[in-house]
Amino acid sequence: MFDSKGASPYDCALMLSGQLPKTIDPRKLARQGLQFEGSLALKQFDRLVASLADDQGEVKVFLHFYMSEDHRVVLEGHVEANLKMICQRCLDVAELPVRSDLNLMGVLTDEQARSLPEGYEPLMLQEEPMELVPLLEEELLLSLPIVAYHPPEACQVQQNFTTESDEEAEASAARAEEEKKRRNPFSVLASLKADQDKSTTEPK
C-alpha cells in the first residue's frame, strides 16, 4: 500500500518494467498506483496487423493507473510503434511512426461516459479483469492514417510525378481527419455531450 496524500500520483507510483500483464484490473491497479513500462510483439495485435504490410516489430507501452482526487479510476500513458504500411503513391512499404496518448477514466454506464471531464475518454469497467492487448489495439487502430504515404522527401513518386497542389493536399488531410473522427466511437459521445451542453445554454 502506498500513501499518496499531498503528492503527485507519479511520485508514489511503483514502476514495473519489462513483461506486461495479459489482463488488467483497472480498479485494483489504480488503488495501488501502479505504472507499467514494456513492449509487446506486434504479431499479437491481429486486427492491427491486418492493415499492415507485415507483423514484425514491437509495440512500446507506458501505462499509469491511479485514483483521481474524486476517487475515480484513471489510466494515463501512451502506446507507440513503427508500423509498415503500403504507400498509396509509390506502392512501396512505408515505415510510419504511430503513437496514441491514453487519457482514460473509468465509467460504469453510457451516461457516465457522456459526462466525463474534458480531456478524458471512457474506460468501461467490468467485473472481470480485461485483456490488455485489445484495449491498446483499439487505440492504435484509431491512430492509423486513413491513407498511408511516405513523407514527401522519401517518396519517389511524390518527388517526381505528383500534381497535387498544397491546397489539395490540405483538403485531403482535412477529409482524412474527419473520417478518423467518424471511426472513433468516443468522438460520437463527445459530440452528443457538446450538443447537450449547447442546448442547455441557448436562450429559450
Side-chain angles (χ1 to χ4, degrees), residues 9 14-15 39 45 58 67 82 92 103-104 109 116 154 157 169-170 174 180 182 184 186 191 198:
L14 176 64
M15 170 69 78
S39 60
F45 296 74
E58 291 187 330
M67 301 298 292
N82 290 324
D92 200 356
N103 291 285
L104 308 178
T109 66
L116 284 175
V157 172
E170 291 176 2
K180 184 185 292 187
R182 283 198 293 268
N184 186 349
F186 298 138
S191 177
K198 183 179 178 181

Side-chain angles (χ1 to χ4, degrees), residues 96-142:
L96 306 175
V98 175
R99 171 176 170 136
S100 178
D101 292 317
L102 284 70
N103 291 285
L104 308 178
M105 181 170 281
V107 299
L108 298 174
T109 66
D110 290 341
E111 182 178 355
Q112 290 181 353
R114 288 191 291 268
S115 60
L116 284 175
E118 184 176 357
Y120 288 99
E121 292 183 346
L123 174 65
M124 193 63 69
L125 300 176
Q126 307 167 4
E127 291 300 323
E128 300 296 325
M130 63 178 65
E131 293 190 15
L132 181 60
V133 167
L135 173 65
L136 302 179
E137 185 171 44
E138 188 66 28
E139 295 293 329
L140 284 172
L141 284 168
L142 293 171

Side-chain angles (χ1 to χ4, degrees), residues 34-79:
L34 291 183
Q35 294 184 32
F36 295 90
E37 186 172 19
S39 60
L40 296 165
L42 180 59
K43 62 181 63 178
Q44 296 183 57
F45 296 74
D46 295 336
R47 294 168 56 212
L48 178 63
V49 166
S51 301
L52 306 180
D54 68 38
D55 63 357
Q56 300 304 301
E58 291 187 330
V59 175
K60 296 180 180 179
V61 181
F62 173 75
L63 304 174
H64 179 212
F65 296 85
Y66 66 93
M67 301 298 292
S68 67
E69 292 183 357
D70 56 351
H71 309 291
R72 302 182 71 173
V73 173
V74 177
L75 168 56
E76 293 182 350
H78 61 264
V79 54

